[in-house]
Amino acid sequence: MTGIGAIHSPGQAEAAESQHETLLEVKNLKMHFPIKTGVLQRVTGHVKAVDGVSFAVKKGETIGIVGESGCGKSTMGRSIIRLYEPTGGEILYNGKDIAGLPEKQLRPLIRREIQMVFQDPNASLNPRKSLGSALAEPMKAHGLYESRQERIERIEKLLDLVGLHRSVINNYPHEFSGGQRQRIGIARALVLNPELVIADEAVSALDVSVQAQIINLLEDLQEKLGLTYIFISHDLSVVRHISDRVGVMYLGKLVELSDKEALYEEPLHPYTQALLSAIPVIKKDGTEERERIVLKGDLPSPSSPPPGCIFHTRCPYKMPMCETIVPEFREAAPGRQVACHLYGEPPF
Amino acid sequence: MSAYIIRRSLMAIPLLFIITIISFAMMRMAPGDPTALMMDPMIKQENLTAYKESYGLNDNVVVQYGRWLGNMVQGNFGESLIRQGVPVKDLILARLPNTLLLMLVSTIIAFLISIPLGVYSATRRNSKTDYAITFISFLGIATPSFWIGLMLIMVLSVHLGWFPIGGVANIGEPFSIWDRLHHLILPAFVLATADMAGLTRYSRSSMLDVLRQDYIRTAKANGFRERTVIFRHGLRNALIPIITIFGLMLPSFIGGSVIIESVFAWPGIGLLFMDAAFQRDYPVIMAVVVIAAALVVIGNLLADILYAVFDPRIEY
Amino acid sequence: TPADEISDAEAATKPDGGKGGGLVLATTAAPTLFNPYYSTDTSSSTIEGFIFSGLVTVDHDFNPEGDLAESWEFSDDGLRWTFHLRENVKWHDGEPFTADDVVFSYNIPLSEDYVGPRGLPFEIIEEINKVDDYTVEFVLSEPYAPFITITAQFEVLPEHILGDVPIADLGKHKFNTKEPVGTGPFKFKEWREGEYILLDRNDDYFLGAPKLDSITYKIVPDTNTAMAQLQVGEINLAGISPEYTEMAEDLAQKGKIELSSGPSNAFEYIGYNLRNELFQDKEVRQALTHAIDKEAIIQAILGGAGTVAHGPGSPANWAFNPDMPAFDYDPEKAKQMLKEAGWEPGPDGILQKDGKKFEFVLKTTSANEIRQQIAEVAQQQWSEIGIKTTIELLEWSAYVEQTSPPNWNFDAMVAGWSIGSDPDPTWFWHSSEIENGLNYNGYSNPKVDELLSQNTQISDLEERKRVIAEADAIVAEDQPNTFIYYVEGYLAKSPNLHGPEYSSANTYYKLHEWYID
Amino acid sequence: MSTNVLEVKSLKTYFNKNKKTVRAVDGVEFSIGKGETVALVGESGCGKSMTSLSIMGLVPAPAGKIVGGEILLNGIDLVGLPEKKMYEVRGREVAMIFQEPMTSLNPVLTIGDQLSGVVMHHLKLSKKEAMKKSAEMLEIVGFADPEKTLKDYPHRLSGGMRQRVMIAMAMSCNPKLLIADEPTTALDVTIQAQVLELMKDLSRKFSTSILLITHDLGVVSELAERVIVMYAGQIVEMADSNRLFNDPLHPYTEGLIGSVPTIDGDIRRLEAIPGNVPAPGTEMPGCRFAPRCSRATSKCTESVPEMRVLPDGRSVRCVLYEEEAAQ
Amino acid sequence: MTLTEEPRLTGRPALPEEPAVAPHEPIWKLMLRKYMKNKLAVIGAVLLFLIIGAAIFAPWLAPKDPSQQVLLDKLAPPGKDYPLGADNLGRDTLSRLLFGARISLLVGFASVAGSIFIGTVVGAVAGYYGGKLDAVLMRFVDAVISFPSLFLLITLVTIFEPSIMTLIGIFAIFGWTGTARLVRGEFLSLRKSEFVLAARTLGIRNGRIIFSHILPNALGPIIVSATLGVGGVILGEAALSYLGLGIQPPTPSWGNMLQSAQNPQIMLGAWWYPLFPGLMILTTVLAFNFVGDGLRDAFDPKIED
Ligand SMILES: Nc1ncnc2c1ncn2[C@@H]1O[C@H](COP(=O)(O)OP(=O)(O)OP(=O)(O)O)[C@@H](O)[C@H]1O
Ligand SMILES: Nc1ncnc2c1ncn2[C@@H]1O[C@H](COP(=O)(O)OP(=O)(O)OP(=O)(O)O)[C@@H](O)[C@H]1O
Ligand SMILES: [Mg+2]
Ligand SMILES: [Mg+2]
Ligand code: NI
């Protein structure tokens, strides 16, 4: 949009383009945490929690990110919202790179536009703040809804929106159930009218019945408010349910990114295949028997990822080249990207 | 592991450096100098100046510090101002073994008594015994240790004559273990009391914590008897945080030795320090403070190593 | 030095009595080194007294008595002193003692290189001559009466050991701490740092082998411990400080100890800084004294162990003047006198004069409980006549530094002096001692100056006593201090220890004859 | 399934807290046959773990207590069995594995110590024999180098490996009943798959009965032959796994299944159960699920519905099926 | 976008409105409830309340002037004139205890206030900002902690005259390290907690996060350690007094009252004289410990009621 942006007035342009355009684009994002050891606590290595991830999020869609524990999902989410300073790569939000911006410049920009819903409904609320003050605080911080009355109205609207009773405005977190707390977490994420919401395991800690309530709530909110979601979860069923597109992460990298139907119908990457086959399903009459691929071994350490294809140590289809050559993350079919030598020759 | 030990030792150096600066600075803030004590009516003024000169008391402060530090690094703590001609090192070497012995024995007493008490208290949580132990530990925390010491001397030594009133051994008698123990037991016990109380509380909560752990449930589910569960599966885990506490306790422990040594006439570095402090014997004060801090640092190092030994999860 | 307790004892003279046993003493202050020319503390001096001998010593009444010197004489002008030495004396290492040792020793403080505290008493010595192996002659620059009791008491060191040591290094020589060799009744055996000093009997002692086997000089952290040890017999001889007299009497009644007592050679006082305007008026000082109930202090704080003092000196001393002007407890009179001096009660009850309040700081040291208590009583009693005092307790060395030259940073202080074996009061009251000496008050009276200058030049004791008494009376009239009491000294010993008797002059007189059964 | 290994009869385990009684397990009644795998499902806090701990005799005292009922293991009532006897039962007759493999192993003892300890304790083997047996067990649960693993400390193992050690430990004395309390909840799906396969294998090989506790209906469907659904301390439905998922009876079961998004099949709006699980200690007359039930009638709140056995062998606790059951 | 079979209503509330589970109860009430459950803590609070009250109202409660000496009544046993006896200068022990309470508590509270302030600031800065600053600050804390504090106290007290102010200053200057470590630990963990991350993503400024999010949650341990600290200082003052370095007479503090009774003559002959200051120290420190224990429970979110 840079070239065109110079021609017409920015405000209009943004409004017009954002309807169909990319809201967020992550390019080769890297987040390495130093490991300090030895006599002098020198940095002897890095945990490559996120190691070169690229994808784009369109306005209004839900992109799901799945992967096993420790593969870097949370780190990626937190890097995007700039809780970390990424080691490398670009994060283009509405075309502007926010990867290296200092906090001061982030505040007016993404601190209002991008929000996060956290995993643990107990830990993500300040136990010493009542619901009302927790929700009013960001408004004050950004100078929105200046009068007290306005703020109360806003809070009440938010409570309606997430399905909480208005009378609880003065209650403290410990007085709510897990599901209600997660609703508060969502309400807080919505206070500033964000564009993009990153939900990191937002329903994992909840009971199934409550989990369903929250998933439904998230869907309703998206519809009502036109939100864009990055939905991080290790639960493939939940991700399938809520996402439009799904990315699969393994050891800090995206190994497959694809439209939901295609991915679940016909997974390309051997890891995705194994992952899907491993999910226990409720068998009803007519449910087809699936063959289970049981992977050998455990996830390698992100501080010393294997050379070549990161998955080759556990891959049932390993070829000699996999041990040395890093497969590119490329389009293997329309709308489908995969990082695997099996799909070297497009079109597949 | 050895890298870890080296690292910890290296970390101690700037620490000791800061310590020397602080102690030296404090000394120099002092009004009055050691010659004030030698106010003999028959002293000649020029002798006084010469005397100060011979101890370098007339030099620039920084020069004095540099000289002192330089010497100390070579193991030379200078000479006492009061005890002319006696190297501070000799004074300290004569006293240190006594202090170390006292601390060692009272540490052993403290641990031997308080850990079982704490563990017992934890396993009998909310029982009458638990309450009693808790209350007694609180009493122990709240009673000044010198007071306990004085009372014990009054009753056990003066009245009943069961123990000697002070000192490390009977004078002029040949060395005997029994005699040494006889002198040691009261001061060691009293020095132990203050920390014993805290330690009991701490082992209790540490054990309670462990007893809540999943692996204890596993052990129980495997059909082990309660005793086995507590001692084989619980105790070692409960001990690990107690080791750290030992490191944290050490400064107050060494500090407490000043009081206990005063009460029991125990000729250790605490008593040496008290005398030196009253007499403004700078070299001695500084040496003792530095050595006491070094003891703390070494104690912490030991605690850390022990910690690593006890806890297989720690790998360096 | 303040609170020096040197005393004298009646010897236990039962040659046929038992023998053996160990004398166990205790001190709260560890000795520093055993060389009389370098040590200044009481503990060291005491032990030096066991190990070494001087030319003369004093008996229980401060009368000089021959020690290493068998006899002595002095010329009529008082400038030439000749000492005839004993011939059978051996050092602890077996070497014979000769005049060379005396010449060597008494020359130490006269040396250019000497770095030590003992220069002053030797300054009057012009030369020391060896006449023969057993005769020494001292030539003084002016007549000096205290020469025999002060200078000649200094112990003699072995020339054959220390003769080659440069005088400058003598103070730090290992002789002083590790291997002192003397001619005294006991030999140095062991010094356990922070614990004790152990001395063994010297079988070759020139007055006959001591009956006691050993002397153990214990180091204890405080007097409470010492008292407890005395009580259970872990130590068998101890001077009793005033706080503990009641307890000691109690123990004596129970038969655990035996107690002897007598006036000690010291007095306690509240000293005024005469540089301060408040105290420049003699009547005011007298009034201040009138306000203090000395008898009550003696009864309440000391349990009666003292005598009311009106002026300087000590009844223990031969030069004491019992007839000094007295300013007895009389608060009304005090008020009256202050009123006459222009001090009227202000609205807050505090005396005022020309808009200035009568208030001052009373300093004393935290190291002395008795003085603390005296300060508290004085504060209270002065407040009753409208004088406001603030007590400031100082740690010992800060106290010394603040009150002594060149600071004199005090309004008034509670202190005490012990007088020493010679009664010469010059140190305290002569105006020449203001600049650098012990005249902390800044007291100056021409008549006193004149009398004091005379006193050391008089060889005749009676004459000297008269001069000192006159000076003391003037000082008492001037009241630069409120003299409070003369200290009563106590000595406690185990019932089985025979020999020691309380004495302010020489506690260990005839030590070699003591014994334990 | 000739004999029942375990029969639980009207088990009641209550907690006393601040003079309030929490009925954690309130009249639970079920049985497990030899070699059978039975799943216990329900939301958090419904009393699944307490049921299992009651069987083990490990209800946290003194707050919790079994106040009534019987637990018959091979016909012997474990309730009220002296503690001494229970030592023989635990680990030997009934073994248990827990949810958190990360914390269920003692961090300061080696795997070998822990495994052989159990074997020595129950089978009275010598240390050497016990080690050998332990190594065998590790091999059975799929360790490539059991000798080395024996010397390792738990922290060096991954979660999946630890859970396999736990399984080895549980199976080492060849128990009649294995209670697995959420054995795979903390594991990643791929690792979960490994562990589930292993459990299937082992139960077949040793013909051990398994009481599987989980809230993951997929896992239930994979492993269990019979399912027991609990809600707020009570069993609300009990049926064959197949039939339960195809045709749930109780509205709660129905809601539960409807709440779970599926990996294949239609994507539809989730049929969430409104509201929350009642807080522990909430006393209410009638059906405990009634406040959240879309099909509740006034009858539901009158009295607690009985557990009814339907003609086809399924049991359910709901007024809707009273007539059906009566037939 | 989610595909659904059934058409979905838009605009309706997501789910039926739910009332709050528990009726609204302010945090402090909850904490009070938890506190009240610890019986020893309640006893401790009552004791403290009485002791502090006695200190505040000492001038009205004291039967006599605490510095009024009646030398003839020296060491009088408890009786009509002297409810708790008289000391070695004939002063009324009860009155001195009451006024001594002021001094002992003043020293305790003031120095702990000082050390808590320093400790909290240092710990908060180190814990929140981390990195090099943290490393430097913590090395310094390590150094100060490695000093056996009694050695420092003695050295300093012998250097400076032991007035009330210097004692407070010295206790404050060497008492803060524990708090600093504690606060740093709290900050380190709270800094990574999800609610702080949430505040950051909402653009709340650092200052506000520190003061309004982290500090209130770290307050529990701080208050607990402060409570225990006051007891510790009172004991410390007593220990210094034992060595003659505490609050200096005639100002009464429990420590120096105890010290002046150390004489074996008094300890054996007039047991009441050392008994009462000793009891006061014991009771007060005990009470502070009980209260600290209760506060720990009250602030601990893990302990549910
Ligand atoms: N602040 C940090 N410092 C060092 N390493 C970290 C940090 N945060 C995460 N890591 C490491 O980065 C890797 C990825 O962690 P991350 O939390 O992003 O994984 P995840 O996919 O979210 O896992 P989970 O499903 O368990 O939440 C892990 O190996 C983790 O140990
Ligand atoms: N120590 C305890 N004290 C008091 N109540 C307890 C205790 N442990 C459990 N409970 C109560 O017992 C009830 C059942 O708990 P249980 O652990 O059996 O639930 P669960 O079904 O295993 O849940 P989850 O799925 O979370 O493990 C809970 O409502 C809880 O409130
Ligand atoms: Mg995560
Ligand atoms: Mg459970
Ligand atoms: Ni544009």
Side-chain angles (χ1 to χ4, degrees), chain D residues 308-312 321-327:
Chain D
R308 309 269 178 192
V309 186
L310 298 194
D312 58 4
Y321 302 97
E322 278 185 346
E323 280 166 33
E324 204 176 321
Q327 285 162 8

Side-chain angles (χ1 to χ4, degrees), chain D residues 15 17 22 24 43-50 60 63 182 215 280:
Chain D
F15 278 89
K17 263 196 155 176
V22 175
E43 284 176 284
S44 190
C46 68
K48 305 184 295 290
S49 297
M50 279 312 137
E182 318 229 5
H215 55 244

Side-chain angles (χ1 to χ4, degrees), chain B residues 129 219 229 263:
Chain B
T129 337
V229 171
V263 173

Side-chain angles (χ1 to χ4, degrees), chain A residues 33 47 49 67-76 84 119 201 234 302:
Chain A
F33 297 105
V47 176
E68 287 176 280
S69 182
C71 71
K73 306 181 297 290
S74 301
T75 307
M76 187 195 75
Y84 297 141
Q119 166 170 5
E201 309 273 13
H234 62 261

Side-chain angles (χ1 to χ4, degrees), chain A residues 38-41, chain B residues 3 6-7 10:
Chain A
V39 172
L40 297 171
Q41 287 289 283
Chain B
I6 294 171
R7 199 185 110 226
L10 287 182

